[in-house]
């Protein structure tokens, strides 16, 4: 039998040299006259070990990583084809690596197991079982299951998915839409990309089920233009799903129809906001709409529209396959199921960690992340993207839960976690938040458009009048929070005020310059 070796093909693995590793493996196998089956699988999300090479043995798959192209000859000499442990990059069975073993993978259970574009592989791994059940259910019952699961939006606002779907279902219209928000623009986030590049049929299945639930026949994936590989994979997966009868007229021999297209954004962060996204999808400038009416009532082209994040839609197949209770059994309080947390920044072991709600930041940073990459003490963590608060160590034991974070004026958002060591200058980070808002604001409302510009100026003038300008900055943040049209201006004060209040020493005139602190 051929020796089957797996080399990831996602963007991160490729950026770290996976293509060169794959080519080297093919050359080495040819030179050694080894019958090779090379599978370009999706990444498991252990980015600190990429490229992670796996070989299939009689005892299961064995992993080696990180592997460089120049390591390949030595790997073969050390018994790669038999899964031998004689090479320094040997990691053992992937599922036994603590980073992966200690996760609770529901949404990402298939990621990394095979060729992302193979329909046969997806079906073998229980793919489309949720859709098969949904095709036998009324839309009302599908919505009820999603509601009972406790699934909430994974993009930022954490709005209950079932309520949104119920509104679309109950709004009479001959035409309805399902729109997937794949404009993953938050700092330190990559879970959406990993879904699309490593398990694209899961997203397709989730969107079809959403269409069945609310009576929609057309779906759009609004994808950020910075994800060219995700675009290629999704387009190919849609084409194959259509050819196999999972999309188009008469889905799997039924009377249902659902079509799906990928549409590219143009690089505007504000288009991650659902109404600005819809404006862009309609071919207009991406500007926030006044609500009401809600998109669920009057959305794309004026029709009722489901707008959900990639991770929300990707969780739906599991819920329909296993039932709402299987999903709701994980988590805590009103935060049910799991969230794929993404570890980035100054962290030793960066990657994706899917956990049930209720774990803590400290567990993520140290048990999974291994502390800082620099070896210096961690000082601050930003959770939830560029609009998320900067959290000091005193808050790292707070449960990762939507309500717990909201209670301390923070947010989980999309699950992005960016770590900083003790050389970080939080005053500069606060300034960046205001500057980011000034650059990315759609300009429709004054508090966001003008407030962010004034915010940069006030921070720059803090040394001239520390007390007076601090008061002015807090008042400006209050105005932005209360008066902005959307979360862009309304949440920019989160990182600014958290930095100001939790790290006041960085806002004094005699503060230490960034990077000057000695190791503790």
């Amino acid at each position: 039998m051929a020796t089957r070796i797996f080399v990831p093909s996602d963007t991160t693995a490729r950026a770290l040299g996976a293509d060169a590793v794959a080519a080297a493996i093919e050359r080495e196998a040819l030179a050694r006259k080894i019958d090779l089956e090379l599978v370009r699988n999706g990444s498991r999300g252990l980015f600190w070990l990429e490229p992670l090479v796996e070989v299939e043995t009689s005892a299961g798959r064995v992993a080696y990583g990180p592997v460089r192209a120049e390591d390949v000859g030595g790997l073969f000499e050390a018994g790669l084809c038999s899964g031998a442990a004689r090479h320094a990059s040997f990691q053992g069975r992937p599922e036994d690596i603590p980073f992966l073993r200690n996760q609770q993978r529901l949404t990402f259970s298939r990621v990394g197991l095979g060729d992302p574009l193979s329909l046969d592989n997806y079906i073998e791994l229980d793919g489309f079982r949720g859709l098969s059940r949904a095709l036998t259910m009324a839309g009302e019952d599908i919505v009820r299951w999603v509601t009972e699961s406790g699934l909430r939006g994974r993009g930022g606002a954490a709005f209950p998915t079932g309520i949104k779907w119920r509104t679309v279902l109950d709004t009479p219209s001959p035409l309805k839409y399902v729109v997937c928000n794949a404009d993953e623009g938050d700092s330190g986030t990559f879970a959406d990309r990993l879904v699309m590049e490593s398990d694209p049929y899961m997203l397709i299945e989730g969107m079809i089920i959403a269409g069945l639930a609310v009576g929609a026949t057309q779906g759009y994936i609004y994808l950020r233009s910075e994800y060219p590989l995700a675009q290629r994979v999704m387009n190919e997966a849609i084409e194959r799903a259509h050819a196999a009868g999972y999309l188009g007229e008469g889905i799997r021999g039924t009377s249902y129809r659902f079509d799906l297209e990928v549409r590219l954004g143009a690089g505007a962060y504000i288009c991650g906001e659902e109404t600005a996204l819809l404006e862009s999808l309609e071919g207009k400038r991406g500007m926030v709409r006044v609500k009401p009416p809600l998109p669920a009532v009057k959305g794309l082209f004026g029709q009722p529209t489901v707008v959900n994040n990639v991770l929300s839609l990707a969780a739906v197949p599991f819920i329909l396959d296993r039932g709402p209770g299987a999903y709701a059994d994980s988590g805590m309080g009103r935060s049910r199921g799991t969230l794929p947390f993404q570890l980035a920044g100054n962290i030793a072991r960066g990657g994706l960690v899917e956990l049930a709600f209720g774990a803590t930041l400290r567990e993520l940073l140290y048990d999974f992340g291994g502390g800082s990459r620099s070896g210096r003490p961690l000082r601050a963590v930003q959770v939830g993207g560029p609009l998320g608060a900067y959290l000091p160590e005193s808050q790292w034991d707070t449960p990762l839960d939507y309500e717990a974070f909201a209670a301390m004026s923070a947010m989980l958002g999309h699950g992005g976690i960016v770590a900083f060591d003790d050389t970080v200058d939080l005053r500069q980070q606060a300034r960046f938040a205001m500057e980011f808002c000034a650059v990315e604001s759609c300009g429709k409302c004054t508090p966001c458009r003008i407030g962010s510009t004034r915010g940069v100026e006030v921070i720059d003038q803090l040394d001239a009048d520390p007390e007076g300008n601090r008061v002015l900055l807090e008042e400006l943040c209050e105005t932005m929070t209360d008066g902005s049209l959307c979360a862009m201006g309304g949440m920019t004060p989160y990182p600014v005020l958290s930095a100001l209040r939790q790290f006041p020493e960085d806002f004094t005139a005699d503060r230490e310059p960034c990077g000057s602190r000695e190791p503790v």
Side-chain angles (χ1 to χ4, degrees), residues 12-205:
T12 300
R14 288 185 170 190
L16 293 169
D19 288 346
V21 169
I25 288 173
E26 288 183 313
R27 289 194 301 269
E28 195 70 26
L30 182 63
R32 294 170 180 266
K33 296 182 172 55
I34 295 172
D35 187 10
L36 172 70
E37 180 186 349
L38 183 67
V39 180
R40 300 304 301 273
N41 60 317
S43 172
R44 293 180 183 264
L46 283 68
F47 290 156
W48 53 286
L49 287 178
E50 292 291 9
L52 184 70
V53 174
E54 298 178 38
V55 60
E56 193 172 84
T57 73
S58 58
R61 280 159 70 163
V62 175
Y64 300 82
V67 174
R68 304 290 175 253
E70 55 269 27
D71 300 330
V72 170
L75 272 171
F76 274 85
E77 285 292 332
L80 168 68
C81 294
S82 62
R86 298 194 299 270
H87 195 273
S89 64
F90 176 80
Q91 298 292 336
R93 288 165 23 109
E95 56 269 30
D96 290 337
I97 299 172
F99 189 94
L100 191 58
R101 185 184 66 235
N102 295 327
Q103 297 186 35
Q104 291 96 46
R105 289 203 162 185
L106 304 184
T107 302
F108 282 80
S109 61
R110 272 183 299 266
V111 167
L113 297 184
D115 178 359
L117 285 170
S118 170
L119 268 169
D120 289 340
N121 179 74
Y122 184 69
I123 293 168
E124 287 171 8
L125 296 171
D126 297 337
F128 289 122
R129 286 183 20 167
L131 174 60
S132 295
R133 174 169 282 170
L135 287 169
T136 68
M137 299 170 65
E140 173 86 20
D141 293 327
I142 298 174
V143 172
R144 178 171 54 81
W145 274 34
V146 171
T147 303
E148 290 175 358
S149 75
L151 178 65
R152 295 167 70 173
R154 299 294 191 244
F159 190 81
T161 303
I163 294 177
K164 183 179 288 189
W165 287 20
R166 164 66 60 189
T167 304
V168 178
L169 174 65
D170 291 345
T171 303
S173 175
L175 187 61
K176 298 179 182 181
Y177 296 100
V178 176
V179 174
C180 173
N181 183 349
D183 191 57
E184 187 175 49
D186 284 351
S187 50
T189 57
F190 44 81
D192 290 358
R193 176 182 61 74
L194 204 58
V195 166
M196 292 182 284
E197 294 177 356
S198 300
D199 199 1
Y201 295 114
M202 176 172 60
L203 176 57
I204 292 171
E205 183 179 2

Side-chain angles (χ1 to χ4, degrees), residues 468-493:
N469 282 323
R470 179 185 176 117
V471 172
L472 182 60
L473 183 59
E474 291 188 343
E475 290 177 349
L476 177 62
C477 286
E478 182 180 353
T479 300
M480 292 178 68
T481 298
D482 295 340
S484 295
L485 188 59
C486 80
M488 183 76 210
M491 297 191 73
T492 293

Side-chain angles (χ1 to χ4, degrees), residues 9 126 157 178 186 195 214 218 227 267 270 280 286 323 338 409 420 455 459:
S9 61
D126 297 337
V178 176
D186 284 351
V195 166
V214 303
Q218 177 66 51
Y227 283 174
I270 193 61
S280 177
T338 62
S409 297
F420 300 85
I459 292 173

Side-chain angles (χ1 to χ4, degrees), residues 238 283 321-322 477:
I238 288 170
D321 178 21
R322 307 288 183 85
C477 286

